[in-house]
Amino acid sequence: MGMFDSLYIDLDGTEREVQTKRFDCSLSAYRLGDCIDGARPGVWVYFDELDIAAAGNLVYGRSDSAVRSLTLFVVLVNGIFVEYSISDGRLEQIAIEQRIRALRERWSDSSRVTEFLVGVVRDKQQVIERLNARIAHAGAAIASARRQRAGEDLQGVLGLVREEDQRLTRGDDPLDVVEWALGCDTLGWGFRSGAGATADPLEDYRL
């Protein structure tokens, strides 16, 4: 098939890759909210006809092994992947044209675009915060492992110990502790008894 880009969509609760040669064809992967390299400015709606095999995988090119056909519509606004919708079956030309017009009209509303972009920025910020917390957690685990190697006591303030320190104290491999920290979304102190602190997602909203 050569070089292509990939758009990721949800199909029957499973993330699926849809390949396209419409844009830069740099083997880039895009999801909702991503800016697509090579896309044109303005509101654009594209469609593709998808065939699904019995195993659930996409079949490229018409094939007798396909057991289901779909029509996919993808909407870009100034290069940003803002929406996709899926219709059962292969639609007739007039139905495709009507759907394209409806989607273009829907996304010509500047307030809708602004609301979508604000949501994208908020979600990206939350991802960045989680990743930064994981990096900080891993850094703290590395620092504690070095302190432990130097013979220092890992006891914290007021008898509190971070969970990574508890793991190191009980003999966990430092690499395992770092791996755990990179996959952990909570930071905090735990009591020596091992009762770790649990983050309260509503804390910022409590009086």
Side-chain angles (χ1 to χ4, degrees), residues 152-196:
E152 297 182 28
D153 187 358
L154 298 183
Q155 178 175 335
V157 180
L158 301 178
L160 299 175
V161 181
R162 290 189 180 276
E163 189 168 352
E164 59 265 26
D165 294 350
Q166 295 177 13
R167 291 171 180 263
L168 290 167
T169 299
R170 71 179 180 228
D172 288 8
D173 187 288
L175 289 178
D176 291 338
V177 176
V178 171
E179 182 181 28
W180 163 81
L182 287 173
C184 182
D185 285 332
T186 60
L187 281 170
W189 295 87
F191 291 97
R192 276 191 169 276
S193 62

Side-chain angles (χ1 to χ4, degrees), residues 76-193:
L76 307 185
V77 178
N78 292 323
I80 299 173
F81 183 15
V82 298
E83 183 184 357
Y84 63 85
S85 64
I86 301 170
S87 299
D88 285 325
R90 291 176 177 267
L91 302 184
E92 298 293 334
Q93 178 179 333
I94 188 170
I96 292 173
E97 291 173 344
Q98 289 173 346
R99 185 62 176 149
I100 289 174
R101 282 196 299 270
L103 287 168
R104 290 194 66 177
E105 181 178 353
R106 168 181 167 83
W107 285 100
S108 294
D109 181 354
S110 59
S111 62
R112 181 185 301 279
V113 175
T114 300
E115 181 180 0
F116 176 84
L117 294 178
V118 169
V120 169
V121 171
R122 181 187 61 243
D123 293 343
K124 297 289 187 183
Q125 286 178 330
Q126 292 175 349
V127 170
I128 291 171
E129 289 174 0
R130 289 198 299 270
L131 292 177
N132 284 338
R134 291 182 181 187
I135 292 171
H137 214 169
I142 293 170
S144 292
R146 287 173 174 167
R147 288 173 51 210
Q148 185 184 53
R149 183 180 298 174
E152 297 182 28
D153 187 358
L154 298 183
Q155 178 175 335
V157 180
L158 301 178
L160 299 175
V161 181
R162 290 189 180 276
E163 189 168 352
E164 59 265 26
D165 294 350
Q166 295 177 13
R167 291 171 180 263
L168 290 167
T169 299
R170 71 179 180 228
D172 288 8
D173 187 288
L175 289 178
D176 291 338
V177 176
V178 171
E179 182 181 28
W180 163 81
L182 287 173
C184 182
D185 285 332
T186 60
L187 281 170
W189 295 87
F191 291 97
R192 276 191 169 276
S193 62

Side-chain angles (χ1 to χ4, degrees), residues 36-58:
I36 297 180
D37 295 334
R40 296 179 288 183
V43 180
W44 291 90
V45 182
Y46 302 96
F47 81 96
D48 195 7
E49 294 170 328
L50 308 178
D51 288 323
I52 313 297
N57 56 297
L58 294 180

